[in-house]
Amino acid sequence: MKSLADCRTPFLIGVRHHSPACAVRMGEWLDSFGPDKILLELPPEFQDWLPWLAHPQLQAPAALAGTDQSDQLFFYPFADFSPELAALRWAQQRGIEVEAFDLEAACQTPPERRTLEGGQQGLLDQWQVALGNQDFESLWDERVESAAPAAQAEALRQAALLVGLVQRLQEAAEGIRLRDLMRETAMRKRLGLSLGQGKKVAVVVGSFHACALLPEPRLWEECHPQGGGRRELRTSLVPYSFELLDSRSGYPAGIRDPVWQQRIFLSQLQIPKISQSLSELAVELCHHLRQARQPAGTPDAQESVRMAWELAELRGLPAPGRAEFLQAVQSCMAQGEVLGRGRALARALEKTLVGQQRGQLAVGTPRSGLVPEVEALLVRLNLPRHSHEPVRLDPLRSPLDRSRQVFLRRLQLLGIPYASQRDSGDTLTQVWSFQWTTSSEAALELAGYRGPSLSQACRGALRGQEDLLLGLSQSAECGLGQQVDEFLARLMVEYPQSARLDQLVGGLGLLERIANGQLPGLPAQACGSPELPVSAYQLPAEVDRQVLLAAAVRALEGLAGSRQLSDVLALRELLQLEGGGLRLRWALRNMSREGSPLMQGAAAMALSLLQESGYRVPDFVAGPPGRELAERLKGALAVGVAWIEARPEWRQELLQAVADLEDEPFWRRLASLREGFEVLSQAARARFLETLALNRLDLPLAPDHLVALALADRAGLEALADLPILWVETTGEMPASPSDVPLARGQVSLNERFRLILGQPVDSQNSRVGRAARALDELYGRGHGEGSRAHLGGGAGEGSGYAGAREWGDELADLFGSPVREEVLGRAAEKGRAAALLALEPDSVVPSVELLEQALSLVGALSEHQLGQLRPLVARVLRELTRELSQRLRPALQGLLSARPTRRPGARLDLARTLRANLHTARPGGQGGWTLAPERLLFQTRQQRSLDWRIVLVVDVSGSMEASIIYSAITAAILAGLPAFCVHFLAFSTEVIDFTQRVSDPLALLMEVQVGGGTLIAPALRYARGLLTVPSRSLVLLVSDFEDGGPLAELLAEVRALVECGARPLGLAALSDDGQARFCQATAEAVVAAGMPVAALTPLELARWVGEQVRS
Amino acid sequence: MTQAQAPPPESVYQAELELLQELDQGARPVGWRLSPASVVTFLLGSKGPLKGSRTITITPKFVGERALVERCVVTLAGQRGLLLVGEPGTAKSMLSELLAAAISGSSQLTVQGTAGTHEEHLRYGWNYALLLSRGPSPEALVPSPVLTAMRSGSLARIEELTRCLPEVQDALVSLLSDRRMSVPELGEYEYARAGFNLIATANLRDKGVSEMSSALKRRFNFEVVPPIADRAAEVALIQRQARAQQADFRLDDSILDALVTAFRDLRSGLSSEGWSVEKPSSVMSTAEAVAVASSMALQACYFESQRDPLGLLPGYLLGTVTKDDPKDRARLLAYWDGPVRRRAEQGSRLWKRLLELRSALEE
């Protein structure tokens, strides 16, 4: 140790790369020694940049960066508190030579470690007893940074060298990296040269390396880089920012809390100034906390400053360090909360301590970084600046194309307008067209702030990506393996907590593709052209599909009430991934009992696929006609039409079920059945009809044609028999023979029935069949998806459409009965045919929420004139529903309406009750009247005072919640009609709109709500919290499906804040008469854990809950 | 006191406290019996034997982070109370007793909080006979432990603060900020002497606790005490406690191990292999594990037909997990689908057997 401190050839200054203490004392150290040359620990490739870095005009932070072709990054950020920068500036002022004397960064170095001969375990143990067994960073903070204010300059230099020595000893025990040994060999060589010229040399180097640079080196042995493998390094000097300098930003070589370090540097280690800084930071912190609507004031700041100082004293430090400050703040302000307040505090700390300072280069600094790199790559990858013809790339076969593809994806990610992708028509190749404009250049300049090279800038761009799945696929496309790993790690943590089923299934699919090396950016073996190599990628071992699968099964539970087909499709995907665990079956069984009709159908189908007995899909057909039947069938078919086709016994059951219907029941069910099968594409329905093998019965063929077919069959079979490898399964999978096809009861044949159900051309003697086909085609047209554009299929009926919606409606009523008419017309309105609903007479319809939903779904798309026509219908349905609902709700809210009697002497005498209670004291009085001698006086409580409850309805209008929105509006209106309540109605998607003014008029309210957009719950809750005056007398009802687009932590923080302030929140996954909900299970559970109960309620149950809360 | 089941720390560690007091050179906050540094030493133990009139090694009494203890001590020297929060069984109460014993020499000025705690338990009550005969007088006033601590300048402890009703809790608000208690009946103030402060313990997450008002929260510094991190320590603890309840406790080590593993997995939401596990809403505390272990041993011991105690485990787990929320059953099923199946696939016999026993979980 002594030799380190006393050495003057060279004068050793051991530093850490960011250290305010060293940066402050650097001038003193150098002054005391007076060197005429300074050696800096930096690769010599950066030598040319040093004058620009030390330039007086340069404002820190700035960074030196170098990249080689394989995209390895060498990165050296500098701030005012970097000792190297302090040394550079000192030398620049005095005109003293500075040399970067590290090993060339371009040298390849192996990652191994080498154990040195004669390790000094004894010495290490001795030091560890003296200093405590700490890691380098905490030892450095304790011995150097915290001790600095009270230490002499020389003592500080020795302390820094000592910490480096201890670290060296620790590493020597487990082996020193070869890379370090090689670097030190190179440093010694350059140092020897300088000393040989007779110069007085000071060395500024990581204190770890110091003992290897002594004239007689310790804990070091010579080690030369193996030859070859020189790389070309492109260097750049770029402006930098505190946000990126903070080590949590993910950028390399940073330090925590730059503002803290900067403050310590600016204080020049003088204790009064540190004290001043500390107070300022604490005050600023409280300010940020208050901005987040958390109480924090002078007493908190005062207490945390006191605590920081006393902790420092207890630990024997001259002034509090960062650790003491942070611990004090946590104790005094976090209140033991991880969410809510804890989260707000973390945010405030980030704002206060990370800061936003940005660096600036001196005028005249040579251009470097992203822009020249991209321009060079354009040339080297031979990509045109403009293309007249689109260019087809084949990334999976051509290495050059793979590199091009990755390059283009990266530019896309940075938002640089240059290349655009077109539909290529196949999945393997891709077609691009190019257009380089001035805006491309401008965007490129801007992107340069995110990183000094293309890949670095992409990493920067990806860091802000909140959508994990998108981020994952983007980083995979861009070939950024490290980012893929990061996103995967986040995905594995966050998705099980909060993702929806479709996200989880999507994530699993993407994982599969990555694992199989199917993405051009992430090949299994390194490839690509030398200009831009694409490195190989291996899925890390800790990525565990099982975790995501388990989360997906859990997410399924929230979908029981879903009415969206996409959820059924996600379930189908899940079935293909999951083998049918206990929990999956449990969830499906629940769903088949309690779910919405759609999900019941899907669950029943899934269960019968899993071989559970008792779930027979074909039985649905015999169920009562109507929307439910259609939905149930839809769910079942969407999950498993392929299986129905494949299994003859199921097919047979379905045929039998349809055949067993009499004609009239069939007609009543036809619309629903067709609606159910509509889930399949036109071509799929045609195929389905084919597998049912009904054709043979009804399509008579000429005998010679039959003979020809039979001969062709036989020839085919013989040809197959010659091929030994083929084994043709003939049993069971053959089309059913005619004798197996059941005969339909009634007049309509089975073939006709299925053709009507499946929307296939029908040619029948029965005129009713033709009319029915035509009437239904009016709604469904030619179907959708595969086959809908072909001329072959398309519709069961023939002939033109109807003259108007009214005629069509009449025809429907005539054919199928009037309930079916409303169902079909409503469905037409959903599909955008407004005229269908306008044709309905407001007074003749049966009021239902479905109808109202359908009518309201049109509102955004109608002209003012049509809206005027629709309004009477909506008004009437709404009026009926409100009247009915308020009759049902009133009993639940009874007792809240009137003032309660009390015996406590109060403001108003309850004359009537007092009279009644004291009738027994009545006696005849003078003048023929009666006199009362009351014993018990009864008073009225003042109802306004005791019942001024505030109810805030926060309603999600982002998408699939129509029924709940309607019920919310009606319930709000009913509650607002009671004297005791003050009701607010907030509609939110990504924005919050306050409809409180409209709350008593649900018609106006519903006509104004615009459904659609994303979901951000947290801001809505924050707004609601702002409305509360007496939180303990406030109910906050959040109606949402909890598919939140924002970060989960923020949502939980808001929920916690609401609970902490004493309000009574309730989450409603659904507010509707069936009480079936579709919501994101994982998020909802997290919300429950944060203190907001979540339930799916009917309005009546809600009213009871409100009553209970108010009475308790 | 020697007959007591659990004597207070100031008598158990009397010798250590006396020695520390004798050797203490550091500055003491007014009213403290030891300097902050010595208090930390008392709790965490000394590196070697300390030499004074006697030579004693201070034993470590609290196993935990040094910084946590330091922060507690510093807080108590200030103007705010100390609130220790954490899950059940994390030695919060022990920490508070030790702090009070070291700083004030007594850990006995204690209020044990329940839903039945009244304001007079925190402030003062009256000797009603005296009150009726002579009217309000200082002699008729019965001080609470808190008031006694204020008068003597020592630490008062409040156990389970959040179990007290919010109105009662709020009696502490002005007391903590003004450091005096008004006695309107006598028309006077009781002033706190230097050295007075409060240590409260609380459980923020448990059911049946009241929310603290934010006014009261602002008057405390919060320290979170983490749960037992060591698995072996927990196994040993369960064995010890089950033996204490039942002398002839016999349960195969491997079964006990499976039990502890399942409990720890479900409690922490992370299996020992690092797989994520969905946490049930019921409390999976060490105490519950002890109860299950001893029931299993009892049943295996007294019922001859139950030769295979492992067969009982799924049923008992189901009973522990499904208390309030029917969805907890689904979570246990997911545990069987996940970690249990995977351990079985990795070849563990015990877990294979448990996987075979899954029918016990189905409805």
Side-chain angles (χ1 to χ4, degrees):
Chain A
M1 177 58 221
K2 188 155 166 32
S3 55
L4 279 176
D6 291 347
C7 180
R8 290 293 178 270
T9 53
F11 179 67
L12 287 166
I13 301 179
V15 297
R16 185 176 71 170
H17 288 297
H18 297 290
S19 160
C22 291
V24 170
R25 296 281 182 244
M26 183 59 75
E28 259 178 81
W29 292 334
L30 290 172
D31 281 337
S32 72
F33 180 64
D36 40 39
K37 183 165 186 179
I38 297 176
L39 297 183
L40 270 190
E41 182 192 345
L42 260 184
E45 285 99 332
F46 294 111
Q47 181 73 39
D48 294 344
W49 288 111
L50 295 186
W52 294 110
L53 185 59
H55 199 287
Q57 278 181 7
L58 176 129
Q59 285 174 22
L64 284 173
T67 43
D68 63 6
Q69 303 94 323
S70 70
D71 203 40
Q72 195 180 343
L73 179 75
F74 300 89
F75 202 65
Y76 304 88
F78 295 93
D80 289 329
F81 47 82
S82 306
E84 288 94 337
L85 186 57
L88 265 173
R89 286 175 171 169
W90 184 88
Q92 179 95 353
Q93 276 170 14
R94 291 164 182 76
I96 288 171
E97 190 186 351
V98 179
E99 188 186 333
F101 82 130
D102 202 347
L103 179 67
E104 279 90 354
C107 277
Q108 298 274 15
T109 46
E112 291 97 42
R113 287 172 179 272
R114 178 181 293 176
T115 333
L116 299 183
E117 297 297 316
Q120 314 229 351
Q121 189 63 40
L123 199 57
L124 175 62
D125 293 343
Q126 204 180 322
W127 280 116
Q128 275 179 348
V129 169
L131 298 175
N133 196 0
Q134 292 175 321
D135 62 6
F136 173 72
E137 291 294 324
S138 44
L139 198 58
W140 178 277
D141 279 341
E142 183 192 319
R143 293 274 150 174
V144 182
E145 301 300 332
S146 303
Q152 294 295 318
E154 179 57 23
L156 190 68
R157 187 175 74 95
Q158 293 183 9
L161 287 170
L162 173 68
V163 174
L165 180 65
V166 172
Q167 192 200 8
R168 186 89 184 184
L169 281 167
Q170 275 171 3
E171 274 210 15
E174 52 194 274
I176 293 182
R177 280 192 210 90
L178 281 182
R179 175 173 171 73
D180 284 327
L181 292 176
M182 288 174 189
R183 288 176 57 199
E184 283 149 10
T185 308
M187 289 186 214
R188 285 187 67 83
K189 198 170 131 204
R190 293 214 170 81
L191 173 65
L193 281 177
S194 295
L195 288 174
Q197 292 161 5
K199 298 218 165 148
K200 202 174 173 193
V201 179
V203 165
V204 178
V205 72
S207 65
F208 171 78
H209 301 295
C211 63
L213 300 179
L214 289 171
E216 285 163 13
R218 299 282 176 80
L219 299 168
W220 175 78
E221 60 190 45
E222 196 158 329
C223 183
H224 289 282
Q226 268 83 49
R230 282 272 159 139
R231 292 167 298 186
E232 191 189 334
L233 199 68
R234 292 174 348 94
T235 60
S236 51
L237 174 64
V238 291
Y240 210 48
S241 73
F242 270 8
E243 285 156 85
L244 305 183
L245 188 59
D246 186 80
S247 54
R248 280 158 290 191
S249 72
Y251 280 82
I255 188 161
R256 288 216 156 183
D257 300 336
V259 167
W260 172 270
Q261 317 286 354
Q262 183 81 1
R263 288 258 184 178
I264 298 292
F265 173 76
L266 291 177
S267 74
Q268 293 290 312
L269 302 180
Q270 291 163 14
I271 290 182
K273 283 193 182 163
I274 294 181
S275 168
Q276 171 78 17
S277 284
L278 210 61
S279 308
E280 282 170 13
L281 284 176
V283 167
E284 196 180 332
L285 188 65
C286 290
H287 174 71
H288 285 305
L289 262 179
R290 277 198 302 277
Q291 276 187 339
R293 295 194 182 210
Q294 295 283 352
T298 320
D300 296 282
Q302 209 176 344
E303 173 71 7
S304 44
V305 170
R306 175 199 76 84
M307 198 161 165
W309 279 99
E310 291 199 8
L311 274 176
E313 199 180 327
L314 185 62
R315 292 169 188 178
L317 303 173
R322 197 179 134 259
E324 284 75 34
F325 179 66
L326 288 181
Q327 287 185 6
V329 163
Q330 185 133 8
S331 286
C332 301
M333 300 195 200
Q335 300 184 344
E337 287 276 345
V338 183
L339 300 166
R341 192 160 167 103
R343 177 100 191 148
L345 180 65
R347 278 269 167 91
L349 272 172
E350 204 175 300
K351 276 189 190 159
T352 316
L353 293 182
V354 173
Q356 296 180 323
Q357 192 169 324
R358 283 198 163 192
Q360 217 169 11
L361 299 186
V363 180
T365 310
R367 213 164 69 111
S368 65
L370 182 63
V371 184
E373 183 191 348
V374 168
E375 285 172 351
L377 272 174
L378 273 177
V379 175
R380 291 203 305 211
L381 290 172
N382 200 8
L383 283 167
R385 294 213 166 204
H386 302 276
S387 65
H388 302 290
E389 300 274 305
V391 177
R392 185 176 288 271
L393 298 183
D394 188 355
L396 293 178
R397 266 173 285 187
S398 151
L400 179 62
D401 278 359
R402 193 186 285 262
S403 293
R404 284 170 170 170
Q405 165 94 2
V406 168
F407 173 68
L408 295 175
R409 288 281 183 210
R410 289 184 182 178
L411 290 189
Q412 264 189 337
L413 175 64
L414 291 178
I416 291 159
Y418 163 57
S420 51
Q421 196 178 359
R422 304 200 178 169
D423 187 11
S424 73
D426 67 61
T427 49
L428 293 176
T429 62
Q430 307 200 331
V431 176
W432 295 81
S433 58
F434 307 102
Q435 195 74 32
W436 188 268
T437 61
T438 42
S439 64
S440 318
E441 270 170 41
L444 202 55
E445 289 278 356
L446 214 62
Y449 260 96
R450 290 180 156 158
S453 72
L454 184 55
S455 53
Q456 286 305 311
C458 285
R459 289 193 178 121
L462 283 169
R463 256 173 216 124
Q465 180 61 265
E466 286 294 336
D467 183 339
L468 294 183
L469 206 53
L470 185 61
L472 183 60
S473 76
Q474 278 176 338
S475 44
E477 295 277 7
C478 293
L480 301 169
Q482 193 190 335
Q483 256 51 40
V484 173
D485 286 350
E486 279 172 25
F487 274 111
L488 278 176
R490 280 177 62 193
L491 192 90
M492 296 310 291
V493 176
E494 288 176 30
Y495 261 33
Q497 287 171 12
S498 66
R500 305 188 303 264
L501 183 59
D502 55 333
Q503 288 175 323
L504 286 162
V505 170
L508 282 163
L510 191 56
L511 269 185
E512 192 88 12
R513 290 176 65 202
I514 293 177
N516 295 339
Q518 286 168 344
L519 294 171
L522 294 179
Q525 280 139 21
C527 51
S529 73
E531 287 81 20
L532 184 70
V534 184
S535 39
Y537 182 77
Q538 275 276 315
L539 213 55
E542 62 273 12
V543 172
D544 190 348
R545 281 175 77 244
Q546 296 300 328
V547 175
L548 293 184
L549 267 181
V553 173
R554 169 179 166 211
L556 193 60
E557 283 163 31
L559 298 183
S562 171
R563 292 198 284 166
Q564 292 176 17
L565 203 57
S566 59
D567 292 326
V568 180
L569 298 180
L571 168 63
R572 185 174 71 184
E573 302 274 310
L574 177 64
L575 281 175
Q576 286 165 1
L577 295 166
E578 232 270 337
L582 294 170
R583 185 171 188 186
L584 178 65
R585 286 165 192 266
W586 185 84
L588 285 174
R589 280 197 291 267
N590 277 355
M591 194 183 270
S592 74
R593 279 196 303 271
E594 291 153 13
S596 64
L598 180 72
M599 295 315 278
Q600 279 184 8
M605 179 55 108
L607 282 167
S608 49
L609 289 177
L610 292 172
Q611 317 281 345
E612 295 247 341
S613 55
Y615 296 94
R616 288 165 49 88
V617 173
D619 291 355
F620 290 164
V621 173
R627 214 183 161 85
E628 279 198 16
L629 169 59
E631 292 278 301
R632 212 170 267 151
L633 209 53
K634 247 189 216 175
L637 290 171
V639 167
V641 70
W643 283 289
I644 294 193
E645 286 178 5
R647 291 195 193 173
E649 67 275 14
W650 287 12
R651 221 157 51 208
Q652 195 63 28
E653 279 173 23
L654 184 65
L655 287 177
Q656 193 66 51
V658 175
D660 281 350
L661 293 173
E662 293 284 350
D663 270 353
E664 269 320 301
F666 171 72
W667 287 123
R668 281 206 307 277
R669 283 177 178 74
L670 175 58
S672 310
L673 291 175
R674 173 132 191 209
E675 168 72 21
F677 274 93
E678 192 60 24
V679 76
L680 306 179
S681 71
Q682 169 69 20
R685 277 181 279 138
R687 275 198 300 274
F688 189 75
L689 187 65
E690 208 132 295
T691 54
L692 291 177
L694 294 162
N695 292 11
R696 266 182 252 183
L697 277 180
D698 299 310
L699 296 179
L701 292 169
D704 51 345
H705 194 169
L706 275 177
V707 171
L709 285 180
L711 286 176
D713 271 355
R714 183 177 300 167
L717 196 61
E718 278 164 10
L720 284 176
D722 290 342
L723 296 171
I725 40 168
L726 271 178
W727 178 72
V728 184
E729 159 116 50
T730 50
T731 50
E733 292 301 317
M734 291 289 280
S737 66
S739 60
D740 294 341
V741 175
L743 268 179
R745 300 188 188 182
Q747 302 291 311
V748 190
S749 79
L750 194 56
N751 185 28
E752 284 166 347
R753 287 183 178 189
F754 268 98
R755 283 178 174 275
L756 282 172
I757 292 174
L758 295 170
Q760 299 299 314
V762 59
D763 181 21
S764 170
Q765 310 303 314
N766 189 336
S767 74
R768 193 171 176 187
V769 172
R771 278 170 60 207
R774 182 167 162 238
L776 291 177
D777 279 353
E778 180 72 14
L779 171 58
Y780 298 109
R782 290 173 172 275
H784 62 94
E786 188 193 357
S788 59
R789 274 187 275 180
H791 297 290
L792 303 165
E798 283 168 12
S800 57
Y802 295 86
R806 194 166 304 255
E807 287 77 19
W808 182 34
D810 292 345
E811 177 85 352
L812 283 170
D814 188 34
L815 279 168
F816 309 117
S818 71
V820 175
R821 177 187 65 170
E822 269 164 41
E823 186 189 331
V824 173
L825 289 185
R827 173 92 187 119
E830 264 175 34
K831 286 187 144 194
R833 281 183 60 162
L837 273 193
L838 297 180
L840 289 175
E841 284 292 327
D843 293 333
S844 71
V845 298
V846 183
S848 75
V849 177
E850 279 87 31
L851 190 62
L852 196 55
E853 263 178 63
Q854 286 152 358
L856 287 172
S857 69
L858 291 174
V859 165
L862 292 187
S863 67
E864 204 50 46
H865 171 68
Q866 287 170 311
L867 214 54
Q869 287 180 309
L870 188 63
R871 200 176 288 267
L873 179 73
V874 175
R876 153 146 155 94
V877 176
L878 203 52
R879 204 166 50 235
E880 291 291 324
L881 287 175
T882 311
R883 202 186 59 204
E884 189 204 345
L885 195 60
S886 66
Q887 275 170 358
R888 279 193 286 151
L889 298 198
R890 200 159 295 149
L893 297 167
Q894 203 69 48
L896 306 181
L897 309 181
S898 50
R900 286 170 299 169
T902 170
R903 282 216 258 161
R904 197 181 289 171
R908 269 192 299 160
L909 189 69
D910 190 334
L911 210 54
R913 280 175 198 272
T914 308
L915 202 63
R916 242 177 286 142
N918 293 287
L919 277 178
H920 59 283
T921 65
R923 55 195 157 82
Q927 296 162 16
W930 290 81
T931 309
L932 209 65
E935 295 167 341
R936 294 169 56 211
L937 295 179
L938 287 168
F939 297 87
Q940 272 179 355
T941 53
R942 280 175 40 217
Q943 53 166 331
Q944 283 298 330
R945 216 190 98 243
S946 66
L947 286 172
D948 51 350
W949 282 77
R950 195 178 288 268
I951 299 180
V952 187
L953 272 147
V954 187
V955 181
D956 183 351
V957 293
S958 64
S960 55
M961 300 281 298
E962 290 87 346
S964 292
I965 298 171
I966 293 170
Y967 277 111
S968 306
I970 299 177
T971 313
I974 295 173
L975 290 174
L978 302 180
F981 295 115
C982 163
V983 180
H984 297 267
F985 191 98
L986 310 179
F988 74 96
S989 51
T990 46
E991 286 156 4
V992 189
I993 306 173
D994 191 340
F995 281 111
T996 305
Q997 302 288 324
R998 296 276 159 98
V999 86
S1000 52
D1001 180 5
L1003 176 65
L1005 197 158
L1006 287 172
M1007 296 293 258
E1008 271 192 35
V1009 169
Q1010 288 275 345
V1011 170
T1015 310
L1016 283 179
I1017 303 178
L1021 287 182
R1022 196 171 312 139
Y1023 183 85
R1025 189 151 57 93
L1027 291 174
L1028 309 181
T1029 46
V1030 188
S1032 59
R1033 302 178 76 78
S1034 304
L1035 308 175
V1036 179
L1037 308 173
L1038 170 66
V1039 183
S1040 171
D1041 53 8
F1042 293 97
E1043 295 196 343
D1044 194 28
L1048 180 64
E1050 202 170 308
L1051 168 61
L1052 297 184
E1054 272 311 319
V1055 172
R1056 267 321 288 170
L1058 207 54
V1059 175
E1060 278 164 28
C1061 80
R1064 306 186 193 180
L1066 176 68
L1068 291 163
L1071 180 63
S1072 59
D1073 253 356
D1074 49 14
Q1076 288 163 350
R1078 173 197 181 279
F1079 60 103
C1080 179
Q1081 177 89 13
T1083 311
E1085 280 181 16
V1087 166
V1088 173
M1092 178 195 272
V1094 174
L1097 297 183
T1098 63
L1100 181 58
E1101 288 166 328
L1102 177 64
R1104 284 197 189 123
W1105 183 82
V1106 170
E1108 267 169 35
Q1109 295 297 316
V1110 171
R1111 285 190 199 101
S1112 69
Chain B
M1 210 52 102
T2 47
Q3 294 298 311
Q5 272 193 337
E10 58 268 24
S11 58
V12 177
Y13 303 114
Q14 196 178 2
E16 290 186 11
L17 285 170
E18 280 166 5
L19 180 73
L20 279 170
Q21 225 166 344
E22 176 191 328
L23 293 176
D24 202 352
Q25 301 292 324
R28 296 174 201 179
V30 186
W32 283 34
R33 301 174 69 132
L34 290 176
S35 70
S38 302
V39 175
V40 175
T41 312
F42 175 68
L43 266 78
L44 297 175
S46 61
K47 273 183 190 165
L50 297 183
K51 284 185 193 126
S53 53
R54 274 192 287 176
T55 303
I56 304 178
T57 305
I58 308 292
T59 52
K61 297 161 195 73
F62 177 77
V63 186
E65 215 190 331
R66 183 178 198 90
L68 169 71
V69 176
E70 286 177 347
R71 289 198 300 268
C72 293
V73 173
V74 167
T75 295
L76 287 173
Q79 288 293 306
R80 286 191 186 192
L82 171 67
L83 185 60
L84 298 170
V85 296
E87 287 172 33
T90 45
K92 295 183 295 286
S93 303
M94 188 184 86
L95 183 59
S96 83
E97 279 185 0
L98 289 170
L99 283 169
I103 293 172
S104 308
S106 161
S107 62
Q108 309 202 27
L109 293 172
T110 305
V111 181
Q112 285 169 332
T114 64
T117 305
H118 289 295
E119 221 181 305
E120 56 197 50
H121 294 130
L122 296 177
R123 292 165 63 87
Y124 53 85
W126 294 101
N127 177 340
Y128 287 101
L130 263 178
L131 186 69
L132 288 176
S133 64
R134 287 193 226 154
S137 67
E139 295 77 50
L141 187 136
V142 180
S144 69
V146 178
L147 184 54
T148 313
M150 286 174 77
R151 286 175 175 170
S152 63
S154 50
L155 292 181
R157 304 191 307 121
I158 301 176
E159 296 272 333
E160 299 285 0
L161 176 62
T162 45
R163 294 201 181 273
C164 305
L165 298 176
E167 306 85 282
V168 181
Q169 290 176 18
D170 285 348
L172 295 174
V173 171
S174 56
L175 192 149
L176 269 173
S177 52
D178 302 344
R179 302 269 152 177
R180 60 192 174 202
M181 191 186 284
S182 76
V183 188
E185 293 88 341
L186 300 178
E188 57 185 41
Y189 273 114
E190 293 273 358
Y191 292 90
R193 282 183 55 180
F196 165 72
N197 211 339
L198 279 181
I199 312 180
T201 61
N203 195 333
L204 293 181
R205 298 272 172 274
D206 210 0
K207 280 178 189 152
V209 302
S210 327
E211 202 67 43
M212 280 175 77
S213 70
S214 62
L216 186 57
K217 279 183 182 176
R218 279 203 300 279
R219 285 161 177 84
F220 277 108
N221 280 352
F222 283 60
E223 291 298 343
V224 181
V225 187
I228 307 180
D230 186 24
R231 189 186 131 91
E234 192 176 353
V235 173
L237 184 75
I238 290 175
Q239 244 164 353
R240 208 164 51 236
Q241 295 204 349
R243 286 234 168 76
Q245 288 177 7
Q246 185 190 342
D248 55 347
F249 173 80
R250 251 181 314 152
L251 199 59
D252 199 73
D253 275 354
S254 64
I255 296 176
L256 193 64
D257 194 64
L259 175 77
V260 175
T261 307
F263 264 80
R264 287 179 70 92
D265 290 355
L266 290 168
R267 183 193 316 153
S268 63
L270 199 69
S271 79
S272 44
E273 293 89 345
W275 305 323
S276 90
V277 173
E278 203 182 331
K279 282 197 268 189
S281 61
S282 36
V283 178
M284 305 292 291
S285 69
T286 311
E288 297 271 359
V290 173
V292 170
S294 57
S295 312
M296 279 167 65
L298 273 178
Q299 202 168 341
C301 178
Y302 296 118
F303 295 88
E304 284 297 308
S305 59
Q306 287 296 344
R307 282 293 167 77
D308 175 20
L310 187 62
L312 301 168
L313 183 57
Y316 273 112
L317 268 181
L318 189 65
T320 313
V321 167
T322 52
K323 285 206 174 112
D324 314 311
D325 187 356
K327 278 194 181 145
D328 284 339
R329 179 194 284 272
R331 298 187 180 115
L332 192 63
L333 289 176
Y335 183 65
W336 242 256
D337 280 344
V340 174
R341 177 177 295 277
R342 295 172 78 176
R343 283 176 192 143
E345 278 164 5
Q346 285 173 4
S348 157
R349 273 225 188 130
L350 182 78
W351 292 97
K352 222 175 249 173
R353 176 91 183 89
L354 280 174
L355 185 65
E356 284 161 12
L357 291 166
R358 63 180 175 270
S359 60
L361 301 174
E362 302 228 48
E363 284 160 273

